[in-house]
């Protein structure tokens, strides 16, 4: 074999080997980069789902508190109005409780169980206050006094129950939202927004 042909053959083979080795290394690096990008995309989708779910919970909690506040406003008006026996006032109370029940169902759906339990206490407390108010008004059908004037201690007890049940719900909601936020990557201790 001619030396030139041998050198050309060796050069060709080494060039082909180097190209194959470079191709294999490039394919391995590209494959690794693609796996990394897929993992990052999966992680980002998971984070987005967690953020969306947290926002859905937050909105359900806010709506529930808003409906509880609407029921409290109806009750506040009822405690001081004279006389109470008008039909629209009873209808307003029914509508407020119905809206609260609907908001509570959303709280139960988005959970967690601790928040739903505290929400149930708010609903029961508001129901109890409506029943207490109804008993006072119904037991004095001909009165010209407000329910508060007829039984001042009943309103005081109702206000205490309102504060306690609402505060417990807010605490449970903040803890649930804080847990979710702390479970997300890059969430430090000061990253929970002040308005929950």
């Amino acid at each position: 074999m001619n030396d030139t042909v041998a050198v050309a053959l060796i050069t060709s083979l080494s060039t082909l080997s180097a190209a194959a080795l470079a191709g294999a290394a490039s394919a391995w690096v590209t494959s690794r980069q693609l796996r990394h990008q897929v993992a990052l995309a999966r992680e980002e989708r998971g984070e987005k789902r967690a953020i969306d779910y947290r926002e859905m919970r937050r909105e359900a909690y806010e709506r529930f508190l808003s409906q509880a506040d609407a029921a409290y406003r109806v009750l506040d008006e009822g405690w001081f109005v004279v006389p109470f026996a008008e039909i629209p006032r009873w209808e307003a109370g029914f509508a407020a409780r119905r809206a609260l029940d609907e908001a509570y169902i959303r709280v139960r759906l988005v959970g967690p169980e601790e928040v739903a339990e505290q929400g149930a206490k708010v609903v029961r407390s508001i129901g109890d206050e409506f029943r207490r108010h109804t008993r006072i008004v119904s037991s004095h059908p001909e009165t010209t006094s407000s329910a508060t004037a007829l039984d001042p201690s009943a309103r005081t007890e109702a206000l205490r129950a309102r504060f306690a049940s609402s505060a417990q719900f807010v605490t449970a909601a903040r803890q649930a939202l804080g847990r979710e936020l702390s479970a997300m990557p890059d969430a430090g201790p000061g990253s929970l927004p002040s308005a929950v």
Side-chain angles (χ1 to χ4, degrees), residues 113-146:
E113 191 60 34
E114 304 88 40
V115 179
E117 287 173 8
Q118 296 306 322
K121 290 180 183 177
V122 172
V123 171
R124 277 193 302 273
S125 171
I126 289 173
D128 290 346
E129 186 173 348
F130 270 107
R131 282 187 290 281
R132 181 179 302 133
H133 180 268
T134 301
R135 271 195 309 273
I136 293 168
V137 170
S138 297
S139 64
H140 300 88
E142 302 299 323
T143 188
T144 58
S145 299
S146 68

Side-chain angles (χ1 to χ4, degrees), residues 63-100:
R63 184 173 183 201
F64 177 75
L65 288 171
S66 175
Q67 294 303 330
D69 183 59
Y72 291 147
R73 281 185 268 129
V74 169
L75 282 162
D76 286 339
E77 182 181 329
W79 280 108
F80 292 104
V81 74
V82 178
F84 185 82
E86 299 171 13
I87 296 297
R89 296 192 195 284
W90 294 108
E91 290 173 354
F94 177 77
R97 289 181 67 188
R98 174 88 175 149
L100 179 66

Side-chain angles (χ1 to χ4, degrees), residues 10-76:
I10 292 172
T11 303
S12 297
L13 287 175
S14 65
T15 302
L16 285 174
S17 298
L21 187 60
S26 175
W28 180 77
V29 168
T30 302
S31 170
R32 192 165 176 212
Q33 287 175 338
L34 288 175
R35 282 194 306 272
H36 179 67
Q37 288 175 348
V38 166
L40 284 177
R42 188 178 301 125
E43 187 177 313
E44 286 175 8
R45 281 193 308 271
E47 287 175 12
K48 180 164 179 7
R49 275 194 305 270
I51 289 169
D52 290 347
Y53 191 64
R54 180 181 184 278
E55 186 61 26
M56 183 176 62
R57 277 186 167 175
R58 187 176 149 278
E59 287 173 7
Y61 300 163
E62 285 178 351
R63 184 173 183 201
F64 177 75
L65 288 171
S66 175
Q67 294 303 330
D69 183 59
Y72 291 147
R73 281 185 268 129
V74 169
L75 282 162
D76 286 339

